[in-house]
Amino acid sequence: MSALRTADKPIGSGTAKASPPDLFITALAPMVWGSTYLVTTEFLPADRPLLAATVRALPAGLVLMLVTRTWPRGSWWFKAAALGALNIGLFFFLLFFTAYQLPGGLAALVMSIQPLFVLFLGVLWLGERIRLMHVVACAVGAAGVGLLVLRSDASLTFVGVLAGMAGALSMAAGIVLTKRWGRPDGVGLLGFTGLQLAMGGVMLLPVTLLVEGLPGSVSAPNLAGFAYLRCKGLIRHDHGVRRG
């Protein structure tokens, strides 16, 4: 079984140019991302963000870990746990909580501030420089999402907006830490992704059982929604970006 080594490898160092399948997956990810809000409200059991987050993360993570035979060692126990909590556990919970609280357009608009968080955390943790074009691009992107999907009759809830912003901040922190730590030598993208999914799912599972419990019954649409989210969870935007 291959192991996560303690020697860090900067992302993208020594890797080949992204292949057409990588580029296709990268382009597909934002296309299907917005469907999370529709699937959550129309197909999943009502008001169960922890269950939705756990089902999306844990099965896919365990499968990828088994297939790639990846296991953490040394400092990567802590790093994988931190990335799993930020990129998966906390983020998925807040994503689904926001989807239950806000209409899809508003939820997408709130979460679209994530690139701004990435920029500012990059300055604090990585010493990166913020350029005006980055700020303008983030602002234009957020405005574009609002113009495209925001309904005029939609209503805001404070807790939903706060959860969406917290989710964006959580994912942004995970992205910046991933830039800082990179991927260990000999660990592929699928194994690295699977480890984070599994770590996040393991953290979510006991909280889900304690707070929400299991639903008394699951309908066919519920099963279809969970299956869709599990498949969609494997289409990650960073698949093509990290290979480039």
Side-chain angles (χ1 to χ4, degrees):
M1 178 176 293
S2 64
L4 288 177
R5 303 173 187 173
T6 56
D8 294 343
K9 177 181 179 180
I11 296 175
S13 63
T15 58
K17 184 178 180 180
S19 64
D22 292 328
L23 295 176
F24 173 75
I25 293 176
T26 302
L28 183 62
M31 295 170 58
V32 301
W33 178 257
S35 62
T36 297
Y37 309 105
L38 174 65
V39 173
T40 299
T41 55
E42 299 298 327
F43 291 92
L44 301 187
D47 299 322
R48 288 183 176 269
L50 284 169
L51 177 63
T54 304
V55 171
R56 178 172 177 180
L58 188 56
L62 293 177
V63 168
L64 286 178
M65 283 187 66
L66 290 174
V67 170
T68 60
R69 305 179 67 183
T70 301
W71 196 256
R73 284 185 180 177
S75 65
W76 273 100
W77 277 104
F78 166 76
K79 293 179 181 179
L83 295 178
L86 293 170
N87 286 333
I88 306 298
L90 182 59
F91 172 69
F92 277 5
F93 163 67
L94 292 170
L95 170 69
F96 287 108
F97 184 85
T98 303
Y100 281 118
Q101 291 290 319
L102 300 177
L106 284 173
L109 178 60
V110 172
M111 301 292 282
S112 70
I113 67 171
Q114 175 188 307
L116 284 175
F117 288 143
V118 172
L119 287 178
F120 290 123
L121 290 178
V123 173
L124 295 176
W125 295 351
L126 304 179
E128 295 179 344
R129 297 176 57 187
I130 295 181
R131 299 179 180 177
L132 179 60
M133 62 178 297
H134 294 155
V135 178
V136 172
C138 291
V140 171
V145 172
L147 292 174
L148 287 173
V149 300
L150 183 58
R151 298 199 306 265
S152 60
D153 60 344
S155 58
L156 284 169
T157 64
F158 175 76
V159 66
V161 173
L162 187 62
M165 295 180 66
L169 178 59
S170 176
M171 186 66 170
I175 290 173
V176 175
L177 285 178
T178 303
K179 288 183 178 180
R180 181 173 181 174
W181 292 335
R183 286 205 315 268
D185 292 327
V187 176
L189 178 66
L190 288 180
F192 191 51
T193 300
L195 185 62
Q196 293 180 66
L197 286 167
M199 284 287 192
V202 167
M203 295 176 189
L204 285 167
L205 182 59
V207 181
T208 300
L209 295 176
L210 180 64
V211 176
E212 293 181 355
L214 298 177
S217 61
V218 180
S219 65
N222 294 157
L223 293 175
F226 284 132
Y228 175 80
L229 289 177
R230 284 198 297 270
C231 294
K232 189 172 77 70
L234 298 178
I235 304 176
R236 295 177 61 86
H237 179 64
D238 62 353
H239 183 88
V241 174
R242 296 181 190 280
R243 291 289 297 274

